[in-house]
């Protein structure tokens, strides 16, 4: 039992029209309840999710004439910021907490356009009361205290830069670290006090490289929703645990900002419906599945299936081609299994195979080589065990040391 399920409170939203069922943003209010941005405007929801109230701003008040609200943010002053789309230009609005009026003057917008482009996808206020705004051209960090703006973008030759300019979500954890979720680039983490990012992608164990949003549980784990599945990230270890349950798949692509943790620790994720779970109720995988060799072929002919990690494979002068097959014996969901290989002295890094369960080599140099294979479980986490096999390539007699010495004489 994964303890992940579609919320039973769905019935309480049955009076919302079809356009409103497209939920783009869920935010906890400083007071009771939640703020929801939807396809039909901005709403307040009660703490028990049973009552709703549309926020009083008229469609005619927005220059774009749109009712769609993509993201919302309640700042430390109590003012509510929200973005709309569908018109000629993007709009950033502020609902004044004291007057109750909506400001459509485009505050920040003209300055941000030059840096972040034509669309503001995400907003976040950090513990220093700075506003982080993400778009298709990176992230802008605006500090109201001095009106300064810092712009973060992707630099192709700099692995400490933002992993992608297409930003889908921004999140600050309890340590003050800033997490940037991207479309296709995984996550980029800006540690407190630094200006360089640490990147995490599917190669590092993340469920997928397109990240919709993130939320932290009471244990300090970061839950990351991707296009491929749900990941639990352990910041101290830098490791991931992934989940691909039918309930998660039924929600489909999670909408950016439709993520929150309630006072009780319950996590809510919005997409094609509402997913809810208590993190401490999730049961992780059974012990690590075995990774085994399933065959070795030389010159295209199968030689044996029972290859042991301690075995030595010898290639003679006419053996020009060798291939290995292998598999992780994890039957929960073998479509998610990943593999990689390397040969010591030839490859500096692991060569990613994706789901392919074989690797081949031709015309290896003469001498002794050590081939290493690693695999993942269905969560996408790399297994602790690495398969190792020794390959000895025997040179032809005229390339042997004694022959060369004899010719030299």
């Amino acid at each position: 039992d994964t303890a992940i399920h579609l919320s039973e409170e769905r019935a309480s939203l049955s009076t919302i029209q079809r356009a409103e069922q497209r939920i783009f943003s869920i935010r906890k209010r400083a007071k009771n309840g939640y703020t929801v941005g939807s396809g039909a405007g901005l709403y307040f929801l009660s703490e028990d999710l049973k009552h709703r109230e549309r926020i009083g701003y008229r469609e005619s008040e927005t220059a774009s004439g749109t009712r769609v609200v993509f993201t919302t943010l309640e700042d430390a002053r109590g003012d509510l910021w929200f973005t709309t789309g569908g018109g000629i230009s993007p709009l950033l609005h502020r609902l004044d907490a004291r007057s109750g009026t909506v400001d459509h003057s485009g505050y920040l917008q003209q300055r941000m356009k030059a840096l972040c482009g034509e669309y503001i996808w995400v907003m976040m206020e950090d513990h220093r009361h700075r506003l982080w705004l993400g778009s298709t051209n990176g992230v802008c960090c605006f500090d109201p205290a001095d009106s300064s703006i810092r712009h973060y973008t992707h630099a192709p030759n700099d692995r400490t830069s933002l992993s992608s300019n297409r930003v889908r979500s921004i999140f600050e954890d309890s340590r003050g670290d800033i997490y940037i979720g991207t479309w296709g680039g995984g996550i980029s983490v800006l540690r407190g006090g630094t200006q360089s990012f640490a990147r995490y992608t599917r190669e590092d164990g993340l469920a997928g490289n397109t990240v919709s949003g993130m939320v932290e549980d009471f244990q300090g784990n970061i839950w990351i929703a991707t296009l491929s599945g749900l990941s639990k990230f352990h910041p101290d270890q830098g490791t991931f645990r992934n989940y691909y349950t039918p309930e998660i798949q039924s929600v489909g692509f999670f909408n950016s900002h439709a993520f929150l943790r309630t006072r009780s620790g319950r996590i809510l994720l919005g997409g094609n419906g509402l997913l809810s779970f208590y993190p401490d109720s999730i049961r992780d995988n059974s012990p690590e599945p075995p990774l085994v060799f399933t065959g070795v072929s030389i010159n295209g002919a199968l030689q044996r299936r029972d290859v042991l990690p301690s075995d030595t494979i010898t290639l003679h002068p006419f053996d020009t081609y060798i291939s290995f097959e292998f598999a992780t014996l994890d039957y929960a969901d073998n479509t998610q299994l990943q593999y990689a290989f390397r040969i010591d002295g030839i490859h500096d890094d692991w060569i990613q195979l994706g789901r392919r369960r074989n690797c081949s080599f031709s015309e290896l140099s003469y001498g002794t080589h050590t081939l290493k294979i690693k695999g993942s479980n269905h969560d996408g986490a790399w297994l602790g065990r690495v398969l190792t096999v020794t390959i000895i390539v025997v040179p032809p007699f005229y390339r042997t040391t004694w022959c060369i010495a004899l010719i030299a004489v």
Side-chain angles (χ1 to χ4, degrees):
D1 183 6
T2 64
I4 298 178
H5 58 277
L6 290 175
S7 174
E8 296 176 356
E9 282 87 355
R10 179 182 286 181
S12 67
L13 303 180
S14 60
T15 58
I16 295 181
Q17 301 301 314
R18 181 176 179 84
E20 295 167 290
Q21 291 177 344
R22 188 74 184 273
I23 298 173
F24 295 102
S25 172
I26 305 175
R27 293 277 190 174
K28 185 72 178 69
R29 298 180 64 192
K31 299 178 180 179
N32 292 334
Y34 309 96
T35 300
V36 177
S38 75
L42 200 59
Y43 288 85
F44 289 151
L45 288 182
S46 62
E47 190 79 17
D48 60 6
L49 309 182
K50 294 182 178 179
H51 304 285
R52 67 187 179 96
E53 173 191 354
R54 192 168 190 271
I55 292 180
Y57 82 95
R58 298 190 305 274
E59 180 181 344
S60 59
E61 290 178 323
T62 68
S64 63
T66 181
R67 300 173 64 191
V68 178
V69 173
F70 288 103
T71 181
T72 67
L73 183 148
E74 185 176 9
D75 66 20
R77 291 163 44 91
D79 293 343
L80 181 67
W81 300 81
F82 59 98
T83 62
T84 59
I88 298 175
S89 64
L91 290 173
L92 177 65
H93 311 275
R94 180 174 62 89
L95 176 62
D96 189 281
R98 287 151 293 282
S99 66
T101 59
V102 178
D103 176 14
H104 306 293
S105 62
Y107 178 61
L108 293 181
Q109 181 176 305
Q110 295 303 318
R111 299 183 63 189
M112 293 300 172
K113 272 187 179 181
L115 297 175
C116 283
E118 290 296 315
Y119 194 83
I120 299 173
W121 260 113
V122 295
M123 294 187 295
M124 189 273 292
E125 182 184 31
D126 66 18
H127 71 285
R128 295 166 56 183
H129 308 306
R130 298 176 301 177
L131 293 180
W132 293 76
L133 300 97
S135 71
T136 56
N137 191 37
V139 177
C140 288
C141 177
F142 171 72
D143 191 343
D146 58 8
S147 298
S148 62
I149 300 175
R150 187 178 184 92
H151 189 207
Y152 298 93
T153 59
H154 171 68
N157 298 321
D158 184 1
R159 289 192 56 81
T160 65
S161 69
L162 194 65
S163 59
S164 170
N165 283 333
R166 302 177 66 187
V167 176
R168 295 288 300 180
S169 58
I170 307 175
F171 171 76
E172 181 185 29
D173 69 6
S174 57
R175 305 180 183 193
D177 295 339
I178 305 297
Y179 288 69
I180 310 295
T182 70
W183 186 285
I187 59 174
S188 297
V189 183
L190 192 64
R191 307 294 183 188
T194 68
Q195 294 301 324
S196 59
F197 289 93
R199 298 179 181 180
Y200 298 92
T201 65
R202 185 157 189 163
E203 292 184 2
D204 302 298
L206 184 64
N209 286 337
T210 296
V211 176
S212 301
M214 297 156 282
V215 64
E216 184 177 8
D217 64 25
F218 286 150
Q219 285 70 46
N221 302 308
I222 311 300
W223 292 82
I224 304 169
T226 77
L227 187 62
S228 305
L230 183 65
S231 291
K232 180 174 68 173
F233 178 59
H234 304 276
D236 289 334
Q237 294 80 24
T239 59
F240 295 86
R241 173 70 69 177
N242 299 325
Y243 303 89
Y244 307 93
T245 69
E247 293 84 1
I248 294 172
Q249 300 298 328
S250 69
V251 176
F253 185 62
F254 294 95
N255 287 321
S256 299
H257 321 295
F259 300 79
L260 64 85
R261 184 191 69 198
T262 67
R263 291 193 180 102
S264 66
R266 188 181 194 179
I267 289 179
L268 303 178
L269 309 177
N272 184 24
L274 188 63
L275 187 73
S276 69
F277 62 93
Y278 287 94
D280 56 5
S281 298
I282 305 297
R283 297 294 178 264
D284 286 336
N285 271 346
S286 55
E288 183 174 286
L291 173 64
V292 299
F293 282 113
T294 58
V296 58
S297 299
I298 298 176
N299 294 338
L302 179 65
Q303 301 298 309
R304 54 193 294 191
R305 294 188 180 276
D306 56 340
V307 182
L308 299 177
S310 59
D311 283 354
T312 296
I313 306 297
T314 300
L315 297 181
H316 297 284
F318 294 103
D319 297 332
T320 59
Y321 182 84
I322 186 170
S323 63
F324 293 87
E325 296 181 359
F326 36 83
T328 300
L329 304 184
D330 185 339
Y331 303 107
D333 184 2
N334 58 21
T335 63
Q336 302 297 332
L337 303 180
Q338 302 288 310
Y339 300 93
F341 77 91
R342 63 180 294 176
I343 296 180
D344 289 347
I346 296 179
H347 305 116
D348 294 329
D349 299 312
W350 289 96
I351 308 301
Q352 303 296 322
L353 293 171
R355 300 176 186 176
R356 185 157 61 91
R357 298 188 298 107
N358 61 79
C359 60
S360 304
F361 310 95
S362 61
E363 299 182 352
L364 288 171
S365 60
Y366 306 126
T368 301
H369 304 278
T370 301
L371 170 65
K372 295 181 178 179
I373 306 291
K374 71 175 181 178
S376 76
N377 61 14
H378 72 268
D379 285 338
W382 294 112
L383 305 178
R385 184 191 182 198
V386 175
L387 293 181
T388 302
V389 65
T390 300
I391 305 172
I392 298 177
V393 182
V394 178
F397 77 93
Y398 55 84
R399 296 296 299 271
T400 61
T401 302
W402 66 266
C403 184
I404 294 174
L406 182 59
I407 294 174
V409 172

